[in-house]
């Protein structure tokens, strides 16, 4: 009887490594998102398009590319390729179309470019996860969804610096809008599948 139990225990130990251990490892990593590239969210892909108020220029981004493309709509051709991004997310024109802003969720920045020569004018750090953006009707504030921190960062566009962080969201990504009177903003939560009004 003892020999029989010893023989069974000898077979059980290798079976644990062959059957049980791999299933534990698989179940522990099942809920994790695949990480491609270097950023925490590079597995999330999106593209963005912004057209200047005079409808002469279009700026295009693809989060899988480390650059954005500037198109001349009147001539129908590529005007410039701007490199240096990791995960470019959203593009919005500001200051009557004289500048445009690109959010980068991996770098955690907002980059401000001049429409005249497409050069970098300024950069504001808002933290990794910077995704969708929206500008207040008076053009003085920008609201930035931060998917990594479950928050929305408010940026002063005149002083070019963050002035507030609104919390209580669930991975806000691309969708964010400001009301016409500037008193509220609507933000979609990726995890909860709901629209939050603040």
């Amino acid at each position: 009887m003892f020999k029989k139990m010893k023989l069974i225990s000898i077979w059980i130990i290798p079976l644990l490594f062959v059957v049980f251990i791999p299933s534990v490892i698989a179940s522990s990593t099942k809920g994790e998102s695949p990480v491609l590239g270097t950023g925490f969210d590079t597995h999330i892909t999106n593209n963005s398009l912004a057209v200047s108020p005079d409808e002469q220029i279009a700026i295009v981004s693809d989060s899988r590319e480390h650059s954005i493309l500037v198109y001349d709509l009147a001539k129908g051709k590529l005007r410039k390729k701007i490199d240096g991004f990791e995960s470019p997310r959203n593009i919005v024109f500001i200051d009557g179309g004289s500048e445009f802003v690109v959010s980068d969720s991996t770098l955690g920045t907002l980059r401000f470019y001049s429409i005249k020569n497409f050069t970098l004018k300024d950069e504001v750090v808002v933290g990794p996860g910077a995704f969708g953006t929206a500008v207040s009707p008076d053009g003085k504030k920008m609201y930035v969804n931060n998917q990594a921190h479950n928050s929305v960062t408010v940026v002063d566009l005149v002083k070019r610096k963050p002035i507030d962080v609104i919390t209580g969201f669930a991975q806000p990504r691309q969708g964010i809008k400001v009301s016409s009177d500037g008193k509220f903003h609507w933000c979609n939560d990726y995890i909860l599948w709901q629209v939050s009004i603040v």
Side-chain angles (χ1 to χ4, degrees):
M1 175 94 176
F2 179 73
K3 286 182 181 179
K4 194 173 185 182
M5 285 179 66
K6 190 176 181 182
L7 185 62
I8 291 171
S9 66
I10 290 170
W11 282 103
I12 288 176
I13 292 170
L15 281 173
L16 284 173
F17 284 98
V18 173
V19 177
F20 183 71
I21 301 296
S23 65
V24 169
I25 292 168
S27 65
S28 68
T29 59
K30 202 174 205 179
E32 293 177 8
S33 300
V35 177
L36 306 174
T38 59
F40 77 97
D41 64 351
T42 50
H43 63 283
I44 303 168
T45 58
N46 79 299
N47 53 28
S48 186
L49 164 71
V51 176
S52 60
D54 63 5
E55 299 182 353
Q56 297 297 302
I57 299 293
I59 316 291
V60 181
S61 71
D62 181 332
S63 64
R64 297 166 296 183
E65 300 294 328
H66 299 300
S67 59
I68 59 171
L69 303 176
V70 179
Y71 287 95
D72 185 322
L73 295 178
K75 296 179 180 178
K77 67 176 186 178
L78 178 66
R79 190 161 170 185
K80 188 166 185 177
K81 179 181 178 183
I82 303 173
D83 296 312
F85 295 91
E86 285 298 324
S87 301
R89 294 297 182 181
N90 200 56
I91 307 162
V92 63
F93 281 88
I94 61 169
D95 197 21
S98 65
E99 292 181 274
F100 63 92
V101 185
V102 184
S103 62
D104 190 309
S105 63
T106 299
L107 298 177
T109 61
L110 300 174
R111 289 185 173 175
F112 295 74
Y113 290 87
S114 168
I115 200 70
K116 288 181 180 178
N117 50 16
F118 307 109
T119 55
L120 181 66
K121 289 187 70 176
D122 209 346
E123 187 169 44
V124 176
V125 176
V126 291
F131 227 99
T133 57
V135 179
S136 61
D138 62 7
K140 293 181 179 178
K141 294 178 183 175
M142 177 176 282
Y143 296 84
V144 185
N145 282 351
N146 193 307
Q147 178 244 342
H149 299 285
N150 300 315
S151 63
V152 173
T153 302
V154 184
V155 176
D156 185 322
L157 290 177
V158 178
K159 296 180 180 178
R160 302 282 166 95
K161 67 176 186 178
I163 55 172
D164 196 10
V165 175
I166 306 167
T167 58
F169 300 95
Q171 290 194 19
R173 290 187 185 174
Q174 192 72 358
I176 185 168
K177 296 292 179 185
V178 182
S179 63
S180 58
D181 59 7
K183 292 181 179 179
F184 304 98
H185 74 269
W186 294 273
C187 177
N188 74 319
D189 286 330
Y190 174 73
I191 294 295
L192 299 179
W193 279 46
Q194 69 181 19
V195 176
S196 298
I197 303 172
V198 180

